[in-house]
Amino acid sequence: MAGRNHSSEPSTSCRFADYFVICGLDTDSGLEPDELSGENFEQSPLRRTFKSKVLAHYPDNVEWNPFDQDAVGMLCMPKGLAFRTQVDSREPQFHSFIITREDGSRTYGFALTFFEEVTSKQICSAMQTLYHMHNAEQYDILHTPTSPKGPEDLHRYHSQPRPVLHAAPSISRLQRFNSYDISRDTLYVSKCICLITPMAFPQACRKVLQQLHQAVACPQPPPLPLESYIYNILYEVPLPPSGRSLKFSGVYGPVVCQRPSTFELPLFDFAISEMFNLLGVENVLQLFTCALLEMQILLYSQHYQRLMSVAESITALMFPFQWQHVYVPILPASLLHFLDAPVPYLMGLHSNGQDDRTKLELPQEANLCFVDIDNHFIELPEELPQFPNKLEFIQEISEVLVSFGLSPEGNIPSSDSQTKYRSFRSVDMVSDKRNGNLASPLHSYLLKENETIARLQALVKRTGVKEDPSSYKDPRLQCDEEELKMHNSNIHIREVFANRFTQMFADYEVFVIQPSQDKESWFTNRDQMQNFDKASFLSDQPEPYLPFLSRFLETQMFASFIDSKILCHDDEDKEHTLRVFDARVDKIRMLNVRTPTLRTSMYQRCTNIEESAIEMRVTKIDHTALHPHLLDMKIGQGRHEQGFFPRLQSDVLSTGPTSNKWAKRSAPAQWRRRDRQKQHAEHLYLDNDQREKYIQEARNLGTTIRQPKLSNLSPSVIAQTNWKFVEGLLKECRNKTKRMLVEKMGREAVELGHGEVSITGVEENTLIASLCDLLERIWSHGLQVKQGKSALWSHLETCGLVFSHQLLRKSDGGGSAMPPLKVSLIQDMRHIQNIGEIKTDVGKARAWVRLSMEKKLLSRHLKQLLSDHELTKKLYKRYAFLRCDDEKEQFLYHLLSFNAVDYFCFTNVFTTIMIPYHVVAVPSKKLGGSMFTANPWVCVSGELAETGVLQVPRNMLEITFECQNLGKLTTVQMGHDNTGLYAKWLVECVMVRNEITGHTYKFPCGRWLGKGVDDGSLERILVGELMTPTTENDERMCRTPPMQQSPGMMRRFVTISPNSKPSKFLIQETTILGEAINGIVKHFHKPEKERGSLTLLLCGEFGLVWALEQVFQHGFKSPRLFKNVFIWDFLEKSQMYFESAEQREAAPDENWQTRVRTFCRFMRAINSTSRNIGKDGKFQMLVCLGARDHLLHYWIALLADCPITGQMYEDTALLKDRSLVNSLIRVLQTLQDFNITLEASLVKGVGI
């Protein structure tokens, strides 16, 4: 639990601020270069960074929030000290920051950095010396062009062509360019004043600090010494109570802050509109999607406050969900190695404004969302699903922004930044279809800014919304108009976002799985438990939502949200976020008169925006704090000196008043803490200790590190941090493999008749995509030098060169009729490289993982990849996951478990690629095909496509061809042209292999093809199944005749004799048919994307055709010697009877006549087909067409009453038993509920 997890206790403070801090130059220790910030010494001394120190903080310590000197020092001045001269800009800069403790609780910091004149002669002399040394070095280096002095020079320097190198530049030129002259220039150094607070009130804190700085900069001294104002803010200003406003005094004017009530959205005081202004609506929505799916997010800007503002805004919009991972909105320069973290993170990186994105070396980019805030640019990970109802959502947000006078596009930076932005747009984005900024239906909408805004403004006028809430001034207002406008725009935007989640998850409670055992047992076995019925929830969602929702349900933020729901017993027990969200869900349910679980994709706009509460709070102030007053100070101290922040009197600031009615200082700390929990739970998300322990630890997948420890950067601490990452990665791998196997095996168990189905195609795809992300993070951890965006693919390419010359080993599987494919990591890589549709390294790595999983070789391939220990040492640092031998072995062992199940994650995803197939026709071993003279052909069909007729060389009986992915193979049509002297062919089976995935399908036949032999068929439709690559199975499947064969003669010789006990066998035949029908019923009850082959259930072994054949063969009179009689003969005789004149006279009723006519029409159509499919093939076609048109039960009734049945069947035959025939009819009637679509190969040539 991390970052935005407010549920842990941020503070038990009742005060508005816990500490006042001053950071800056320690004149005693002098100038110390800040080596950790990564600045190089080629820069001029004024552009280098030097170490800053915490000069003072008041009070020394508070029990509920111990002072972390290192963290505060780093975050107040993340780049250390900065020096300027009188010619440089020295405007004060405000920024906020956050410190996340190990338990997930947070403290906020608000810092104002300004410049003070350096009065120390030693410091000025040291700077002069550094300049002399720097200029001398520049003079010596003949071939180095002069470094620019400032950012503006630097820009000119970069935008001009490189200067031609002449003789060394003169000293005077260097000094003009990079000057600090102690006699001529005034030296200034940065200083920072900061408030550390338990809750985030950036607007109020900014005013307090600006007024303090103004008091210092002003020629006239402030009304009271600065100590009085600082003492007041530290000890005499309380936090405003929930739902109330508070006014207190700054140096020059009042400061107002307010908190929402328990029924409103949680406290958020940053301006969300600033984020939209910086990025534009579409970029914000793409960033929002990445954050919800827990991607790695890196924000990049020259301005610390922009980093903080975007990070806080994007996480606030997630309500009711909370960011659970590493959260460092401002990453100090000394912690850049933390970008190596192989976990989801949201971090902010300071840009120096000089390097563009291409020069930024990041450890891993496969799953990275990179946001260049200053240049209005966002770079997205691959395969990012679209947020549900994206276009309507953007339209709604845009209307809100326009109503507040903001542009939906944001403010695109001007001048060269804009050119850079344009070049990004034209080159990168338009060509890269994955990027969020590219042409879409929305693109044209965003480009026509003026027209769109005019239209939106007209709409706003029509709906009667105020275009600008601050367009008039209420005289009772106690805060700035701009501030009220910010609060109102925040509410509008946040409500629109919150409404999306209340609409999407309006029925979530129905799907929460409550634990059956007590909380302690539930907590102990939390890893094995599912807390939400994902499959059922997803099955209720509109199709367009699934790609996003299936991934979102797998995130830790969603799991933690559901955990907190399970752990609360009643409304009183709920944490504030959950209580507010559930109240909104209840309201939506009351408004929507629809079935609780019925979902529609119709977009429902936000209707419950309440501004009045805030306006009431800021027009009628509820509480006023004590005014600043004179303190008991020593005379002569605190003297005003313009431009210099005074050294404060620590004795008066280190302790607060002894009695204070709101501080409850007499109560023990524990009581105070409990009281604070009750009073502020709704905004600090506090909760009881036990529940907090459950929620924090239950979902702890190794992401215990929420923020890098800022205090001690010794190698041992860095090593310990990385070790936690290694443990976390291993745990995540274990949980992911377990989850995938449980889901997959659960589904296969359902197919065997156990339990309920629990996984959908979308969900399986999501789980595999998240496994790919995990592998990328493992391969990126501890990488020495990054090459390309995918660490896994670059490792594969490096190893490809090493392994390519090695001998390829043979695989374990494959039938003897076809030589086995060789197991080759290199060959699989080449297959992926040859797929033109995959353009990027990340895409190639993912495709390779999918292919390896489908071939059951992932663990084996990765083991081979890591077998070159020398290469691994060369590529990875010592702490990297891939160099921790025990963990690596366990990781490969977990991946090995995937071999227990069948995945088609490559075949089902890359549906348009070209794939080579190898086909072998295997003639009977007993009656070999050596004399066969005709020309054979085959046509292979799969779930995705069909090949068309392919001629097979007669002497070879095998063929290799390339065609678009057929998907899982279902049928092979095979036949010959009946030419030559001996056009009779006994075929044992046909084998077809996918040459990329290695999947081999066997299509058993065991029948003759030829005129005057068997049933006279010249072509047959064979139904196949995927072969399991085990030796034992291979032997069994290659016997002749095969176990599975098309319906026909050979089985008829084992039919039951009329003398057997009839009842037992009759029941057996009806049971066989019942099981075949049951298989079809189960097929249609599965989610559509999870259904297997219907052709197999109709025509395969123990399918419907085979079962009906058993029914018709039961009691069939034995044929005369040397004459074969087929079921089709019986059906043809029945047809002739129905069509005879006598029959028409004896017709019982009109319905009966209609059914007879239909039966005869189907028989005629099948008999007149141009295909030579033989009698058994015709019977198969009739059954398939009858099943499709729901006619089988009518035909059974007709045939049972037909006199021909009496002639051709024994008295004990099933068709003569009235009760059993009625039972058969009832069983076949169940097919009426289903829409059966036949594969084209089954009904080719029949025009019905």
Side-chain angles (χ1 to χ4, degrees), residues 834-891:
N834 293 337
I835 298 173
E837 287 89 338
I838 306 172
K839 310 286 185 196
T840 63
D841 286 355
V842 175
K844 286 172 185 168
R846 289 180 177 215
W848 182 85
V849 170
R850 287 175 178 277
L851 177 59
S852 301
M853 280 190 74
E854 189 160 322
K855 295 178 82 166
K856 302 190 178 185
L857 291 172
L858 182 60
S859 181
R860 183 168 169 176
H861 277 348
L862 292 178
K863 188 173 185 177
Q864 187 187 354
L865 187 64
L866 298 170
S867 62
D868 188 335
H869 300 297
E870 286 307 311
L871 181 64
T872 311
K873 277 183 186 174
K874 187 175 154 192
L875 293 177
Y876 290 93
K877 295 169 187 164
R878 182 63 197 92
Y879 63 75
F881 181 93
L882 295 177
R883 288 190 62 189
C884 301
D885 293 338
D886 289 349
E887 283 67 29
K888 185 174 71 180
E889 284 302 316
Q890 288 181 56
F891 157 70

Side-chain angles (χ1 to χ4, degrees), residues 23 60 136 227 345 378 540 549 602 623 633 649 726 812 1140:
C23 296
D60 284 338
E227 283 87 345
Y345 60 65
I378 181 167
D540 273 359
L549 281 177
M602 196 175 78
H623 302 283
M633 289 170 61
Q649 274 196 43
V726 168
D812 303 324
S1140 67

Side-chain angles (χ1 to χ4, degrees), residues 1177-1196:
K1178 288 175 181 178
F1179 174 73
Q1180 177 173 295
M1181 194 179 278
L1182 182 72
V1183 172
C1184 290
L1185 289 168
R1188 183 193 71 183
D1189 294 348
H1190 308 130
L1191 297 168
L1192 289 177
H1193 57 287
Y1194 294 135
W1195 293 348
I1196 290 283

Side-chain angles (χ1 to χ4, degrees), residues 155 302 306 353 372-377 411-425:
H155 175 69
Q302 293 180 63
R306 286 183 178 182
D372 187 344
I373 297 173
D374 302 337
N375 289 307
H376 202 90
F377 169 68
N411 284 340
I412 298 177
S414 55
S415 68
D416 36 276
S417 301
Q418 194 160 1
T419 5
K420 178 175 171 184
Y421 166 72
R422 279 189 192 132
S423 69
F424 265 135
R425 297 283 290 205

